[in-house]
Structure formats: structure tokens, C-alpha cells
Amino acid sequence: MLRMILPQSATRRRAVRTTTMQACGLYPAVGAPSLDPRGVIIGREIYSGRAWIYDPFVLYDPTARERLASGHVLVLGKSGHGKSALEKTYVLRQLRFRNRSFCILDAQGEDGRGEWDQIARTLGITPIRLVYGGSGQGVRLNPLDPRIPARHQFRVLSSMVEILAGALSSETDFALSQAHSVALRVAASEKRVPVLSDVHNALTHPVAAKLGQREISAEDLVIWGQPASLALDKLCAPNRELAGLFNGPTSEGIDLDARLIVFDLAQLPREGVAMPLLMAVIGPWLRFGWLKEDDDVKRTLIVEEAWHILSHRAVARLFEEFMRYGRRLGLSFWSILHHLGDLLIADAPEAAAILKLSATRVIYHLDQHEAEITADYLQLPKWAVAAITDPANLCAPGRAVWQVGKRVLLVEHIRSQTEIQLTNTDSRMTEKRTAPSEGFTAPVVPLRKGGGL
């Protein structure tokens, strides 16, 4: 029998020729390996059906299956397709880990309250509200807070003046630096915290200073510093619209050690300079007051309406450095945008750097024109462009294209009934309906005072 078998040729099979579109049906069990089993479940991959697990801190670890260059995330898409639901459920699920801390800059909302108000109240957190117009109802953030080193204070001052008055000349920059130094000395001699009014007073009533070996008279400093003094008057004069936001010591009661911090910015106008000014102050303020180098807490900063950062070079410069420190400080920065089309990225290298530092990009539905701009900048494949322009099927609400490092996948975000109730932002536009009997729920555990669960 062995003699009959050995001379025979091996069995051959004809090759199967097919397209990539049909291959998934012919070989349904074949799929790309997942990123890493550690982290929180976001939902499922559309084509493989596997659970989609994501955690930027895990993926930055050298032991991850595919290591990311950074933990920063960019989220894009039209309203109503799931951007806010994604970030909210991500925070709720990550809070189960005891070494996670979050800060939210909540710029959207209704009835004078931000979108995170319901989640904050459910967790026992009181949002920090900033109010426009100096009414005294909100809180104040001092750009000269002692928690910010003096050299960074001056960078914040320069950015604020630049937002209000345009690019600074060398003379104005020198006059502002002298006024800042005088303000610090005056406050120290009076044993109090320096405030913007101290800088404004030093600009309008300066003392002679030296520029190298040259003596600069007080009269020259008044002229040189006039653009800066006019800008700071908008922040310091009690009858101006921007009064009350920044001029004075930082309001008491802001707990930067809490595991969830929500800054409610819903009462600030989206247009104008109030929001960019706040971003210019809050970035360094959190950098030195919230982030700590001597603990193992992983922190996430989520910025709604992040175009206020990307569209102003003065603010983008501060946040670019903020993000570059992320690896050393254990920071994941989430930028939430509607689209990239309105941003002059080519004219703002700092904004381009922020986008490139985001190793994870999540793109929900976009119109064709915006999708082409986004795909060109983010180097998305053609199938991804077809997906994000299909709001009825491939990128229906809750579905998005995820670009994680070199991988591009289509992911469906799945929420529990409890999460749906907490993250629903369409209640005003939809009919009330009874919650379905099927589905699963997940308890929400309030945060105890002191930061624990």
C-alpha cells in the first residue's frame, strides 16, 4: 500500500480569486489583531465584531502590542453623532480606576449650564462656573497665581495682551516685562498675591528702567506700554465686560486634587475674546496647579470647542508646550472639534503641531467637503472617507472611524441605559419615550470627598 501512495503527487487546490470587499464574507473568522486587552471597552469593531478596548496610557506603555507616540486624542464630527457621548462614557468608565483624574472644560450647554452638569451632580461634584461681565456670580482665575512660576506668568500675560491687542512690538514687550517685575515686587512688599491691576498700574505709572546700558525714562515706558495698558484696562476696569474673570486672587474652593473637575463655561460667549483669554490662563494654571510630577495618577484634560485653542496662535503656543510635557506628566489631552475646515492650519504652525501630537483621531460623520479636507490632512484611506460621509449606515450616530497610530478601523460606541440617560443631549429635540425593558444598566457610584470612589 505504501508503494502505491508514495509515487502520487500532492493534492493541489485552485486559488480563490476575490476582491477585498468579498473576502470578509468568504473568510469571516479572519481579522486583524486587537490593540491591547487592557483598558476600558468603548464598543465593538464593525467588521470583526470584536470588543473595542482603548486606553491611551496603556497603549503608550512599551509593553503594548502597538505603542502610540502620545496619549493625546482628537475627536471630530458634526453635532448629534456621538462626540460628547463618547467622551462622557469614557470618563465614567475610566473613573473606575483609582489612579485616573479628569478635568473638563465644558463650553457647551443650555439654560446657562454645561453639558456635564448632570453627570457632575450625579457624581456629587459641583461644577466651577465662570461668568461673563463681572457680575460676581462666578469664579475667578488669577493669571498671576503663585502656583504659576514667574517666567510662565509673563508668557500668559503676553498671550492675553496679544489676544486683545494683536502682536506685540519689542518696545511693548519690554514695557510689559518691566511692569510685571514691578507688580511682583509691590505685591511681595505688601505680603499679598499679585493681580492684574498691579501690572496695569505699573504700566500706566512706570518707573525708569534700564535696557542694557540705556536709561529708559518713565515717559518712554508709558508710550511703549500703551497697547498693553489699554488691553489690560478691559480686564481690570470694573465697568468693562471682561471684568471679574481674571483680575483678583483666584477664588477659594477650587479643589485641584479632586478626581473630576468640571469648568462650566456655558455662560461665556463663544465669539469674541473671553474664551481664548480663559484658555490662555487655564492651560498654565492647570499645568502647575493640577498636574503633579511626584505621583502615579494618570490625568486627562478634555477641551470642548477646542477651536478656541487652535485658532489663536498665542493660545496654541501655550497648549503646544502643555501637550509636549504630557509624556512626563502622565497627561492625555482630548481636543473636541466639529471640523478642520475653518482653521487656518497652514498659517498656524502651533495648531498644526497640536493636531500632529494627537496619536489617536476619532472622526464621526462629516459632509463631503469637510471629509476631504480632514482626510487630506490626517492621511485617511479612501474607504474611511466613504464611511464618514455616510450618516445613515457606516457612520450613523454612534459610529466613527478611529485612527489609532497606523491602524484605521470603524467602531460602534455602545452605551448602557444609565449612560444613555446621562449623556443624552438631544432631549429638547426628541419626543419623550419609555425606556426599553431590554438592555443593560450600570450603576454610577458618587465620588467621595477627597477624590475616592
Side-chain angles (χ1 to χ4, degrees):
M1 179 65 69
L2 185 60
R3 292 178 180 177
M4 295 176 63
I5 295 176
L6 289 177
Q8 294 183 3
S9 60
T11 303
R12 294 182 179 179
R13 295 183 180 180
R14 296 176 59 187
V16 177
R17 299 183 179 274
T18 183
T19 65
T20 54
M21 182 177 296
Q22 296 168 325
C24 58
L26 294 173
Y27 303 99
V30 178
S34 60
L35 290 175
D36 200 286
R38 299 170 293 174
V40 296
I41 296 178
I42 302 297
R44 67 182 181 91
E45 297 177 31
I46 294 298
Y47 295 122
S48 69
R50 278 188 308 226
W52 177 248
I53 300 173
Y54 178 79
D55 188 312
F57 301 107
V58 169
L59 296 177
Y60 184 77
D61 192 284
T63 62
R65 291 179 179 176
E66 183 171 337
R67 190 185 184 213
L68 294 182
S70 76
H72 308 312
V73 181
L74 173 68
V75 183
L76 295 168
K78 296 182 68 175
S79 297
H81 282 265
K83 299 191 304 296
S84 62
L86 170 66
E87 60 191 85
K88 290 172 185 174
T89 54
Y90 173 80
V91 171
L92 288 172
R93 296 171 188 180
Q94 282 273 10
L95 281 172
R96 297 282 177 174
F97 300 98
R98 293 187 178 273
N99 65 336
R100 297 292 193 266
S101 177
F102 295 87
C103 180
I104 316 296
L105 304 188
D106 184 8
Q108 301 201 60
E110 55 189 21
D111 299 330
R113 295 181 181 274
E115 286 188 351
W116 286 78
D117 186 75
Q118 183 179 1
I119 289 179
R121 287 188 287 105
T122 302
L123 295 174
I125 299 295
T126 301
I128 302 168
R129 290 191 171 86
L130 286 95
V131 179
Y132 187 63
S135 63
Q137 299 176 357
V139 301
R140 183 191 305 111
L141 298 180
N142 182 12
L144 304 182
D145 192 292
R147 283 172 283 196
I148 303 176
R151 62 187 181 90
H152 287 278
Q153 289 179 9
F154 180 69
R155 293 187 61 192
V156 175
L157 276 175
S158 300
S159 299
M160 297 176 74
V161 173
E162 188 174 338
I163 291 169
L164 292 167
L168 304 183
S169 66
S170 300
E171 291 83 0
T172 303
D173 184 78
F174 176 78
L176 182 61
S177 68
Q178 292 299 311
H180 177 232
S181 299
V182 171
L184 295 182
R185 290 199 300 268
V186 170
S189 65
E190 298 176 1
K191 297 181 180 181
R192 60 175 177 81
V193 173
V195 295
L196 282 183
S197 293
D198 297 325
V199 180
H200 188 226
N201 293 337
L203 281 168
T204 54
H205 192 267
V207 295
K210 276 200 169 186
L211 178 57
Q213 295 299 316
R214 177 186 173 187
E215 185 81 16
I216 307 298
S217 67
E219 291 77 11
D220 286 339
L221 285 174
V222 169
I223 297 173
W224 290 7
Q226 185 173 1
S229 61
L230 290 173
L232 290 184
D233 185 71
K234 298 178 182 179
L235 303 175
C236 299
N239 59 336
R240 305 299 289 267
E241 287 185 327
L242 296 173
L245 281 174
F246 308 108
N247 184 32
T250 299
S251 300
E252 297 182 359
I254 300 178
D255 183 10
L256 293 181
D257 293 325
R259 294 192 57 204
L260 176 62
I261 306 169
V262 178
F263 285 92
D264 189 338
L265 316 178
Q267 295 190 39
L268 296 181
R270 297 187 184 182
E271 303 299 331
V273 297
M275 195 72 75
L277 284 170
L278 174 66
M279 296 299 179
V281 174
I282 206 169
W285 195 74
L286 291 174
R287 159 72 176 86
F288 296 102
W290 177 52
L291 295 173
K292 297 176 176 61
E293 301 184 32
D294 56 352
D295 62 20
D296 61 349
V297 176
K298 306 297 187 294
R299 293 176 172 87
T300 301
L301 174 61
I302 297 178
V303 180
E304 301 272 9
E305 299 289 328
W307 65 272
H308 292 293
I309 294 173
L310 300 178
S311 60
H312 292 80
R313 294 193 64 180
V315 185
R317 282 196 296 268
L318 294 172
F319 271 83
E320 179 192 0
E321 182 179 350
F322 189 52
M323 292 178 66
R324 291 188 187 278
Y325 278 110
R327 293 179 295 177
R328 180 159 57 88
L329 300 172
L331 173 69
S332 174
F333 179 82
W334 287 50
S335 310
I336 315 299
L337 296 167
H338 285 93
H339 45 70
L340 298 178
D342 292 340
L343 300 175
L344 301 177
I345 299 175
D347 299 329
E350 298 87 358
I354 288 177
L355 297 179
K356 290 179 180 179
L357 285 171
S358 301
T360 301
R361 289 84 175 258
V362 184
I363 305 99
Y364 287 86
H365 166 62
L366 293 170
D367 292 332
Q368 184 68 40
H369 176 65
E370 293 293 341
E372 292 173 358
I373 294 175
T374 302
D376 180 65
Y377 189 81
L378 301 182
Q379 297 297 299
L380 296 176
K382 291 183 178 180
W383 73 262
V385 179
I388 61 180
T389 54
D390 181 8
N393 297 300
L394 293 178
C395 265
R399 292 185 174 189
V401 171
W402 284 63
Q403 184 184 40
V404 184
K406 297 180 180 179
R407 298 196 187 188
V408 183
L409 306 99
L410 187 61
V411 176
E412 180 180 19
H413 178 210
I414 298 177
R415 296 176 290 168
S416 69
Q417 291 299 327
T418 303
E419 291 171 335
I420 290 174
Q421 294 173 8
L422 288 175
T423 62
N424 181 22
T425 57
D426 298 325
S427 58
R428 292 293 186 91
M429 290 294 294
T430 56
E431 296 288 343
K432 291 184 178 180
R433 61 184 67 181
T434 305
S437 56
E438 298 181 357
F440 58 95
T441 60
V444 178
V445 181
L447 297 176
R448 294 199 307 265
K449 185 174 180 60
L453 280 173

